[in-house]
Amino acid sequence: MILVIMAGTALMGAVRWEPLNPLDEHTNAVTTVDYAHYEIHAGSSYIANHYAAAVASTNSLDCLLVTADSTKAAHLIYFVAATDEAVAYFYSGVTTSADGTALTEHNRNMRSSKTAETVATHTPTVSDTGTLIRTFPVNGAKLGAGAVRDAEEFILAANTKYLLRITSGAAGNGISCEFDWYEHTSKQ
């Protein structure tokens, strides 16, 4: 049995019924997407990453995310990867004397011309790491927040700097950081 939720609209004295959930044109299956996926379609979802091919033991790859002073909130998941052992740290309220080199931010809807308000960089000059939010070992694999978006997503504060620091535990460690976020203005 297929349940289609209908909404009626008055049209010149008659009621016109239309499904709230669109049907797939090939299978007539009810189609829905989760909210984060909707933000991709809306052109409000972005990705930026950086890879360092040979990070020395005890050195770090630093990636910074700076949120705008805006009513739009960035909803973030991040990923880290390393070819050998490393430890990742996620900080909030970071102080920098220089924000580093801008990362190329891509709109995940390749048809959209929207650009992010949030700015992603690498190699910032950090004078204070702020508050440590999360620490986890990487151990030569791709890990991080994001395996299940609802459980791992952070809603970031406006006008705030966030640091993802990945410290190498081996010589010549290939390390990458990736930010995946959408920007949303609350309806509340």
Side-chain angles (χ1 to χ4, degrees):
M1 176 166 91
I2 297 176
L3 172 64
V4 178
I5 301 171
M6 307 290 279
T9 56
L11 182 64
M12 295 189 60
V15 176
R16 178 178 163 199
W17 292 96
E18 297 177 358
L20 289 178
N21 298 87
L23 299 179
D24 178 80
E25 65 185 67
H26 302 291
T27 64
N28 286 332
V30 175
T31 57
T32 60
V33 295
D34 68 18
Y35 192 79
H37 189 102
Y38 165 79
E39 289 290 352
I40 295 171
H41 287 262
S44 302
S45 185
Y46 308 92
I47 192 166
N49 61 31
H50 182 65
Y51 176 71
V55 179
S57 182
T58 71
N59 285 1
S60 298
L61 171 63
D62 284 353
C63 294
L64 186 72
L65 203 63
V66 181
T67 57
D69 189 6
S70 168
T71 57
K72 283 187 180 179
H75 295 236
L76 172 73
I77 57 173
Y78 57 80
F79 300 93
V80 300
T83 56
D84 211 323
E85 291 191 18
V87 178
Y89 306 89
F90 183 58
Y91 297 94
S92 172
V94 177
T95 304
T96 61
S97 58
D99 286 348
T101 303
L103 295 175
T104 301
E105 299 174 354
H106 298 280
N107 188 312
R108 293 186 64 203
N109 179 340
M110 299 298 181
R111 296 175 173 209
S112 176
S113 60
K114 290 183 184 176
T115 58
E117 291 185 0
T118 302
V119 176
T121 67
H122 71 87
T123 322
T125 304
V126 177
S127 51
D128 183 2
T129 55
T131 303
L132 179 63
I133 304 296
R134 186 174 185 199
T135 305
F136 57 95
V138 180
N139 300 323
K142 182 176 182 179
L143 299 171
V148 178
R149 185 170 199 114
D150 330 5
E152 299 293 342
E153 181 177 277
F154 290 93
I155 301 173
L156 305 182
N159 201 26
T160 303
K161 295 181 182 182
Y162 295 88
L163 177 68
L164 184 55
R165 172 172 282 172
I166 305 105
T167 302
S168 179
N173 204 349
I175 297 177
S176 69
C177 65
E178 180 176 295
F179 295 124
D180 182 343
W181 75 98
Y182 65 87
E183 296 174 346
H184 168 77
T185 302
S186 178
K187 305 291 188 243
Q188 298 177 349

